Amino acid sequence: MSSSFLSSPSSSSSSSSAHPLVPYGWDDEWAAAFAPHGERGLVPGRVVRVDRGQCDVVTADGPVRVDTEFVTPHDPLRVICTGDWAVVDPGGDPRYVQTYLPRRTAFVRSTSSKRSEGQILAANVDFAIIAVSLAVELDLGRIERFLALAWESGAQPLVVLTKADLVPDPVGLAYLVQDVETAAPGVQVLAVSSTDGDGLDVLGAVVSGGTSVLLGQSGAGKSTLANALLGEDVMDVRAARDIDGKGRHTTTTRNLLVLPGGGVLIDTPGLRGVGLFDAGSGVGQVFSEIEELARGCRFLDCAHVAEPGCAVLEALESGVLPERRLDSYRKLLRENQRIVAKTDARLRNELRREWKRRGAEGRAAMEAKRGNRAWQ
């Protein structure tokens, strides 16, 4: 296990009276949650890396490597994850995680499994940093997808446009930031260059306030950004392809790193697929302007397709609501409904009835149209 990930906190970041785990995010609330376990002689620790049924945990007495097989291994959402606060038996042989403290937040995506399983990527995260490379054309739909998962996790999203030095025109860069801001209402958008340092001071100030997870596709510059925040080359970096800006997975595990300016950062491997997993409220938050418009629709169950008195369609026709936003909203809602329906029989039946109703209405409209043509 590399000492870079588990370096002891400096004296400047913790006093002798402070708990040794404070730099890793330990606070009074975690202490209160752990108290019953402490009475049994167990110790707390922050999980900084998980791989192959074992995990690296930082405790007050230093780093330990422990087994995770005893922690609900058959539930993918309850397995030990980077960012968890683990409960460890210091005298166990072998040592293993007995349980973990209840999570405050959890970043979960859908897997490719037909069983619609969720995969937890990081736990107890305060900020979800979505890294987007300016070396390639912006994909606003993908950004909205990341944002939906971030809002659903309970963390505060932050979009970081990396490689800003590749857009030397300040006016052009401002337009790109503005485009992302329209797709990310209520979210701070930062243009950052790890090469010349632009924007790093603002980002460093944000992440110093807690635990952050760094998310994005391969080639988005996550590892380079992590190194810039750490002030040293800890993460392996490889150049992205010029043709599409994609890179190879330089980070293969999720690693929790203590930042010199305060806070901790979880770096993750590049994500090719970002499937929603029961993220209905997250989708609603990403498209808050559409949700607000929908409150003015004539019908409470308005689908915003062809209903009379639809405030959303009126905004679309007037140009207030961009068509791209509505299309993306519909797409993510449909995807999320399909995911939830796989595990919710009631919702599955409701969707079937709705599809049948719309199909019948469509057929009736076609028959009416044919009848009108026959009379002409």
Side-chain angles (χ1 to χ4, degrees):
M1 176 168 49
S2 171
S3 60
S4 301
F5 297 111
L6 304 177
S7 56
S8 299
S10 64
S11 58
S12 62
S13 58
S14 64
S15 65
S16 58
S17 60
H19 194 285
L21 292 177
V22 166
Y24 290 90
W26 187 255
D27 58 27
D28 291 342
E29 292 183 15
W30 289 123
F34 180 77
H37 304 290
E39 294 173 356
R40 298 164 48 210
L42 305 176
V43 298
R46 190 99 196 245
V47 179
V48 298
R49 185 190 304 168
V50 179
D51 63 280
R52 299 178 183 176
Q54 291 187 312
C55 62
D56 299 330
V57 179
V58 174
T59 70
D61 294 325
V64 295
R65 188 162 180 82
V66 295
D67 291 334
T68 63
E69 60 181 299
F70 295 95
V71 186
T72 55
H74 301 299
D75 185 344
L77 294 182
R78 297 183 66 189
V79 297
I80 279 289
C81 179
T82 302
D84 272 324
W85 283 100
V87 177
V88 179
D89 181 357
D93 186 20
R95 292 175 176 170
Y96 64 89
V97 176
Q98 291 207 347
T99 186
Y100 56 81
L101 300 184
R103 293 163 175 158
R104 294 178 183 174
T105 62
F107 194 95
V108 180
R109 69 165 176 174
S110 175
T111 67
S112 58
S113 169
K114 294 182 180 180
R115 292 176 295 179
S116 183
E117 293 180 338
Q119 178 190 20
I120 182 166
L121 300 180
N124 302 313
V125 170
D126 301 297
F127 304 100
I129 303 172
I130 301 164
V132 180
S133 173
L134 289 176
V136 294
E137 185 177 354
L138 288 175
D139 185 342
L140 297 179
R142 179 172 287 272
I143 294 173
E144 289 162 345
R145 180 180 292 271
F146 269 109
L147 287 170
L149 291 173
W151 281 122
E152 192 69 32
S153 75
Q156 170 65 46
L158 172 68
V159 179
V160 173
L161 303 179
T162 65
K163 308 180 184 181
D165 53 288
L166 299 181
V167 187
D169 177 20
V171 176
L173 181 59
Y175 276 123
L176 290 172
V177 171
Q178 187 177 19
D179 286 343
V180 176
E181 287 176 338
T182 61
V187 176
Q188 186 175 9
V189 180
L190 293 176
V192 171
S193 170
S194 299
T195 302
D196 55 30
D198 286 350
L200 287 176
D201 54 342
V202 178
L203 179 59
V206 172
V207 300
S208 67
T211 298
S212 303
V213 61
L214 195 51
L215 305 156
Q217 290 182 283
S218 298
K222 297 189 305 302
S223 295
T224 302
L225 186 60
N227 286 338
L229 291 171
L230 288 163
E232 58 179 318
D233 292 339
V234 173
M235 307 306 296
D236 184 24
V237 176
R238 297 174 189 168
R241 298 183 306 214
D242 292 336
I243 187 171
D244 56 10
K246 294 181 180 179
R248 295 165 62 189
H249 291 302
T250 54
T251 302
T252 57
T253 58
R254 289 174 280 279
N255 307 295
L256 187 146
L257 314 158
V258 177
L259 298 174
V264 293
L265 179 70
I266 299 175
D267 191 20
T268 65
L271 301 175
R272 291 191 180 92
V274 195
L276 300 185
F277 185 80
D278 198 5
S281 62
V283 173
Q285 202 146 0
V286 175
F287 299 93
S288 56
E289 81 278 26
I290 298 179
E291 298 268 305
E292 181 64 30
L293 286 168
R295 294 189 181 96
C297 292
R298 182 184 303 177
F299 304 108
L300 292 177
D301 61 347
C302 184
H304 321 308
V305 177
E307 296 85 350
C310 176
V312 173
L313 293 180
E314 289 174 4
L316 182 66
E317 293 171 1
S318 66
V320 173
L321 176 65
E323 186 173 2
R324 189 206 67 79
R325 284 283 284 174
L326 183 56
D327 288 343
S328 184
Y329 174 66
R330 288 168 171 164
K331 178 181 179 181
L332 293 183
L333 275 185
R334 287 194 301 268
E335 177 183 329
N336 193 66
Q337 284 181 330
R338 287 195 298 268
I339 291 294
V340 175
K342 288 182 179 180
T343 55
D344 188 329
R346 181 186 58 79
L347 178 59
R348 190 161 55 243
N349 291 332
E350 288 180 358
L351 287 176
R352 286 198 185 108
R353 287 195 295 270
E354 178 66 13
W355 291 332
K356 288 180 180 179
R357 181 183 68 79
R358 292 187 183 181
E361 289 177 352
R363 288 191 295 273
M366 288 297 295
E367 290 296 331
K369 187 178 294 186
R370 288 172 185 164
N372 290 336
R373 288 175 181 171
W375 281 100
Q376 293 175 353

